[in-house]
Amino acid sequence: MGSVTSRADEKLTAFLELEAAIRAGSAYSDGKASYGEFGLLCEAQKWQNSGVEPGDSTGSKASRAISQSVPGPFYLRYYPDHRLMAWQPQGTLDDLMLDQIAEWLVYIEKAFLPFKRFVDLSQLTTVAVRTGHVFKVARRRAEQFRGVEPVRTALFSEDWVAFGIAHLYASLMEDTLIEARAFRDLAKAAEWLAIPIDVLTLKDEPVPHIGPMARKSS
């Protein structure tokens, strides 16, 4: 058992070093070869399918948490069992926050296989994003998306202002491979994504991301 855990720990450490190199845009060496940007992305695909998820040093799907925190903008988490990336922004949603998540998606879509997306806007206190900026972000997302198959993005909020922004974005993504829908009913969002509703409550405590890209806890 000790040797199995040790090998898994080594794989996890290598994954984190690889991920950090991708984020920094720098070269990476695993002791056998060095990788440029294209090689880094190919290696990321291998790690994604290796059976060891960051935060799971046993190589098993069993875990006390079903999601893991993700390097990047705050409030991100990934559910590997459902191939779901969830974002639950808090505070004020403004143009800058919207740009940050859009830019992060461009990076992550290069490194990983297609995944479902869930955006929970229920924790926002203020919506200060400009309508015109939503148009710009939607157009940029449509142009930069390099997937070859449709991906689903569910946007949820019971607040009418946030829901209005979500609905606007969803309407702008029509006729693209990014299938987006806005919901005020969490159960309907779960049904559309084919994800258990208890997952979309985002109540679990994510496995903290460790290594050079870990977030500092306040």
Side-chain angles (χ1 to χ4, degrees), residues 160-171:
W160 280 108
V161 176
F163 175 79
I165 292 295
H167 182 72
L168 172 62
Y169 177 80
S171 66

Side-chain angles (χ1 to χ4, degrees), residues 66-67 77-84 86 199 202-204:
I66 58 176
S67 68
R77 61 176 70 190
Y78 180 61
Y79 292 84
D81 287 349
H82 303 284
R83 299 200 61 80
L84 175 73
V199 172
L202 309 183
K203 297 298 186 182
D204 64 295

Side-chain angles (χ1 to χ4, degrees), residues 159-201:
D159 175 76
W160 280 108
V161 176
F163 175 79
I165 292 295
H167 182 72
L168 172 62
Y169 177 80
S171 66
L172 294 172
M173 300 312 295
E174 291 180 358
D175 302 320
T176 74
L177 289 177
I178 301 176
E179 299 178 349
R181 285 192 188 181
F183 297 89
R184 296 189 72 241
D185 186 326
L186 191 62
K188 291 182 178 179
E191 180 180 2
W192 186 67
L193 286 174
I195 299 290
I197 189 171
D198 63 302
V199 172
L200 297 193
T201 62

Side-chain angles (χ1 to χ4, degrees), residues 37-52:
E37 180 180 2
F38 178 75
L40 285 170
L41 298 181
C42 291
E43 286 299 298
Q45 292 282 9
K46 293 179 184 178
W47 282 112
Q48 185 178 215
N49 297 318
S50 67
V52 176

Side-chain angles (χ1 to χ4, degrees), residues 51-71:
V52 176
E53 299 288 349
D56 181 3
S57 62
T58 66
S60 169
K61 291 292 185 180
S63 175
R64 286 173 294 180
I66 58 176
S67 68
Q68 60 192 45
S69 59
V70 179

Side-chain angles (χ1 to χ4, degrees), residues 60-204:
S60 169
K61 291 292 185 180
S63 175
R64 286 173 294 180
I66 58 176
S67 68
Q68 60 192 45
S69 59
V70 179
F74 289 114
Y75 316 120
L76 282 164
R77 61 176 70 190
Y78 180 61
Y79 292 84
D81 287 349
H82 303 284
R83 299 200 61 80
L84 175 73
M85 191 72 69
W87 184 46
Q88 189 181 53
Q90 300 180 25
T92 298
L93 177 64
D94 55 15
D95 294 358
L96 177 60
M97 184 182 287
L98 200 59
D99 285 340
Q100 288 175 340
I101 193 66
E103 292 171 3
W104 179 84
L105 279 169
V106 172
Y107 149 72
I108 206 69
E109 286 167 348
K110 291 180 180 178
F112 290 87
L113 296 173
F115 52 86
K116 298 175 182 178
R117 303 104 193 272
F118 175 62
V119 180
D120 179 6
L121 303 176
S122 65
Q123 300 302 307
L124 294 175
T125 56
T126 308
V127 177
V129 65
R130 295 174 298 167
T131 302
H133 196 68
V134 177
F135 277 84
K136 292 179 181 179
V137 170
R139 182 172 62 249
R140 191 163 67 242
R141 287 292 298 128
E143 293 173 350
Q144 294 176 333
F145 183 68
R146 292 293 179 264
V148 296
E149 60 184 79
V151 294
R152 290 195 166 188
T153 299
L155 305 104
F156 168 73
S157 179
E158 295 179 338
D159 175 76
W160 280 108
V161 176
F163 175 79
I165 292 295
H167 182 72
L168 172 62
Y169 177 80
S171 66
L172 294 172
M173 300 312 295
E174 291 180 358
D175 302 320
T176 74
L177 289 177
I178 301 176
E179 299 178 349
R181 285 192 188 181
F183 297 89
R184 296 189 72 241
D185 186 326
L186 191 62
K188 291 182 178 179
E191 180 180 2
W192 186 67
L193 286 174
I195 299 290
I197 189 171
D198 63 302
V199 172
L200 297 193
T201 62
L202 309 183
K203 297 298 186 182
D204 64 295

